[in-house]
Amino acid sequence: MAFPTNEVSATTNDVDTVLYEICEVLKAQEDRYDGVVVDIGNMQNDATRFAASLRASLSHWARQGKKGVWIKVPKGQAKLVPVAIEVGFWYHHAEPSYVMLVYWIPQSPPTIPDNASHQVGIAAFVFNEEGQVLVVQEKCGPYKDSGLWKMPTGRINQGEGIKEGAIREVHEETGIDAEFVEVVGFRDGHNVPFGKSDMLFVCMLRSVSSNIVVQDTEISAAKWMAIEEFASQPKNQQSKLLKDMIGVCVANVNGRCKGFSGIGISSNSRKPSAFYCNALYSQ
């Protein structure tokens, strides 16, 4: 029987050989890219049985012409991770409840995509009918103790849309309810923590409430400020990025530019998503 690289040799001890010969192929679902996603729910941290089944399974999938093999190892079965690594799997990514391992069967260079390369955030320009913008001061972060009044910002949660994330972040930090208007621009940055890249979407929102309730874990203060006063802060004028971000927001409020509105998309195979395009587009 032929094995992919890193397979067991003919010198395997008698116990392992017997287990290997009688073990069953692991349960797996085929993915869309000629690969399989393995289910190890019944292994119960049985390392010897898992090693034998994994080697037999790789040989089986190789004969089927499969390519990538994915194993999602739950936190409770972490003892199986070193076993898979020994066979030739490598780490792809990890979440609080699991580690995802991957293996490439063919002798060609792997085409398995890297883990997510970007983190996504929002900056929310929330305006009201009085010509004011919602601003906050940070209790932690790069602008802590700087005196700068800034837009509410935050990271998008996994599986969350830009629109939903912007509305949530504004409410969490300030207690303000707001409706999403559009995306007016984004910054594409690189070499942020953990070697990731960063995309920050600047969003316009219109307030539908006015009473501020500060989230005191991250925000030291929040208030409504005249848009002109906000834009004229020295730090906003000294930073080209901040100056440009605020400038396009002010131009949008004054009707001198348009951004990108979200068009909802639904599909049988994917969760609802949105396509962002210029509001002047008509179908």
Side-chain angles (χ1 to χ4, degrees):
M1 181 179 292
F3 301 106
T5 57
N6 298 315
E7 290 302 280
V8 292
S9 67
T11 60
T12 306
N13 64 51
D14 292 342
V15 174
D16 282 349
T17 300
V18 171
L19 286 170
Y20 176 79
E21 291 175 348
I22 66 173
C23 67
E24 297 180 356
V25 173
L26 294 169
K27 293 181 180 180
Q29 292 185 338
E30 295 185 358
D31 63 22
R32 298 180 178 180
Y33 305 97
D34 296 325
V36 293
V37 181
V38 180
D39 177 8
I40 62 168
N42 61 346
M43 286 290 105
Q44 299 178 344
N45 284 326
D46 188 336
T48 302
R49 177 188 169 203
F50 177 59
S53 293
L54 188 55
R55 289 185 167 97
S57 299
L58 289 173
S59 180
H60 172 74
W61 294 322
R63 292 194 301 271
Q64 290 185 328
K66 300 302 179 185
K67 296 178 180 178
V69 180
W70 301 81
I71 297 181
K72 182 177 180 180
V73 184
K75 182 170 62 175
Q77 294 175 281
K79 290 183 179 180
L80 300 181
V81 171
V83 178
I85 296 296
E86 183 67 24
V87 170
F89 280 77
W90 66 87
Y91 297 103
H92 187 266
H93 68 274
E95 296 290 345
S97 61
Y98 71 87
V99 171
M100 183 68 79
L101 306 175
V102 67
Y103 185 100
W104 185 251
I105 294 177
Q107 298 302 310
S108 59
T111 59
I112 291 171
D114 292 335
N115 186 25
S117 61
H118 285 69
Q119 59 184 21
V120 180
I122 60 91
F125 190 95
V126 186
F127 61 94
N128 62 19
E129 294 181 352
E130 285 72 42
Q132 298 172 315
V133 60
L134 180 65
V135 295
V136 301
Q137 289 187 331
E138 292 184 335
K139 183 173 286 188
C140 56
Y143 296 111
K144 175 185 177 182
D145 299 327
S146 68
L148 177 68
W149 291 96
K150 59 182 285 290
M151 290 183 268
T153 58
R155 301 292 177 204
I156 299 295
N157 291 333
Q158 183 172 313
E160 184 178 45
I162 295 170
K163 170 184 175 181
E164 292 75 17
I167 293 172
R168 173 187 56 77
E169 279 290 344
V170 168
H171 187 268
E172 285 182 356
E173 291 192 358
T174 68
I176 293 296
D177 295 319
E179 59 182 11
F180 183 86
V181 179
E182 56 192 20
V183 172
V184 295
F186 67 91
R187 182 211 63 208
D188 185 21
H190 304 280
N191 297 320
V192 295
F194 310 111
K196 301 295 184 182
S197 295
D198 177 82
M199 299 187 74
L200 179 74
F201 288 83
V202 183
C203 304
M204 302 290 296
L205 294 91
R206 183 182 295 104
S207 68
V208 295
S209 69
S210 59
N211 186 38
I212 294 174
V213 180
V214 174
Q215 178 198 50
D216 57 10
T217 56
E218 298 179 5
I219 303 301
S220 60
K223 67 178 183 178
W224 292 102
M225 176 182 283
I227 292 177
E228 296 78 8
E229 181 184 357
F230 170 63
S232 65
Q233 292 179 95
K235 289 185 181 295
N236 286 338
Q237 292 298 312
Q238 294 163 5
S239 166
K240 185 177 186 330
L241 173 61
L242 294 179
K243 185 176 181 179
D244 288 343
M245 286 171 56
I246 296 169
V248 73
C249 290
V250 172
N252 186 281
V253 170
N254 294 332
R256 292 187 284 112
C257 76
K258 292 295 294 181
F260 296 93
S261 301
I263 299 175
I265 300 171
S266 60
S267 134
N268 293 330
S269 60
R270 303 181 64 180
K271 292 184 178 179
S273 57
F275 171 63
Y276 287 86
C277 64
N278 193 283
L280 298 179
Y281 166 80
S282 60
Q283 301 185 37

